[in-house]
Each structure stands twice: as structure tokens, then as C-alpha cells.
Amino acid sequence: MAEYKVWAYARSAVPNLPALENQLEEVMREADRWGHIVIGSCMEQKFGNELWRPALFTMLKAVRQKRVDAVMVESLDRISHNLTILYRVLRFFQRHGVILITTKTNLQYELYLTGLNMRL
């Protein structure tokens, strides 16, 4: 597997800071396990259908600035539950040559379940 410069991202709507921190730590451990270099990370307690999420925008800024090759999350729904927002973020990744890596789920299957596999 290739060594990527990654951004680790965690999100939860549940107000449980220790669980959110554990989610981010697990993503970062998985990045380390695969030999990736964690360039940055962020986490936030926001609902997945909200667009205005400061940590999401911080991660997107790192992508736009070409500081990372990949974004790592636990699962696709950490990016968004809203399919329109999710689609726009995934297209943003594509336009900037960044891959998405999920640590707890099969990304290809998740894209199939959402119907986004046919649109990307």
C-alpha cells in the first residue's frame, strides 16, 4: 500500500467528548498502522446533515492547499448523512486528487448503498 499524507477527521452528534476523541485516535492509529503520515486532524460535535462545520472546512482547506493525499474517517457518514453534502465533498476530493479512506467500513459498499457509486 502507498504511503499517503493524510488528514484524520472525526465527527459525532452525540455530546460525548471521550467517545469523539477515541474515534479520532482510532483513525490516527489506523493511519499509523498502514504507514501513512498524519499531516493534520480535527474533530467536531455536529450533526452530520449540517453544512456549517468548522472542522470540516479546516479539513477541506488542507485538501484545497494540496497538503494531503488522503482523508481518513471511520466511515462515510462521518463526512455527512446528507447525500447532497456528501456528494459535493466527494467530488471536491476527486477534483483535488485526494482519496478517502474509511477505517471501519467498506467504502465501496457504502457508496453502493447510498447510490453514489453511480454518480462519482
Side-chain angles (χ1 to χ4, degrees):
M1 177 171 269
E3 178 183 282
Y4 294 114
K5 295 182 293 184
V6 303
W7 191 276
Y9 177 79
R11 182 201 59 76
S12 178
V14 179
N16 182 344
L17 187 56
L20 184 58
E21 289 171 337
N22 286 340
Q23 182 187 141
L24 184 60
E25 287 171 8
E26 183 59 36
V27 169
M28 292 175 75
R29 270 194 299 275
E30 193 68 14
D32 185 55
R33 187 171 83 80
W34 284 100
H36 302 317
I37 302 164
V38 177
I39 298 298
S41 65
C42 56
M43 62 183 187
E44 59 193 344
Q45 290 182 314
K46 293 281 190 174
F47 289 102
N49 58 358
E50 293 180 55
L51 178 58
W52 180 250
R53 299 193 332 242
L56 176 68
F57 290 144
T58 298
M59 179 261 295
L60 294 175
K61 182 178 179 181
V63 168
R64 188 176 58 252
Q65 293 174 341
K66 301 192 182 303
R67 293 173 33 212
V68 297
D69 305 311
V71 171
M72 288 187 76
V73 295
E74 188 175 80
S75 60
L76 196 56
D77 65 352
R78 298 304 86 200
I79 300 292
S80 184
H81 290 290
N82 179 298
L83 287 181
T84 301
I85 294 170
L86 180 59
Y87 176 74
R88 291 178 72 187
V89 170
L90 294 176
R91 291 288 297 164
F92 182 84
F93 289 167
Q94 280 185 327
R95 283 193 306 275
H96 289 86
V98 168
I99 66 166
L100 178 65
I101 302 168
T102 54
T103 62
K104 295 276 185 189
T105 59
N106 180 314
L107 180 58
Q108 195 170 19
Y109 184 64
E110 283 189 289
L111 289 170
Y112 168 77
L113 289 177
T114 62
L116 291 177
N117 64 323
M118 301 303 280
R119 294 177 64 191
L120 292 171

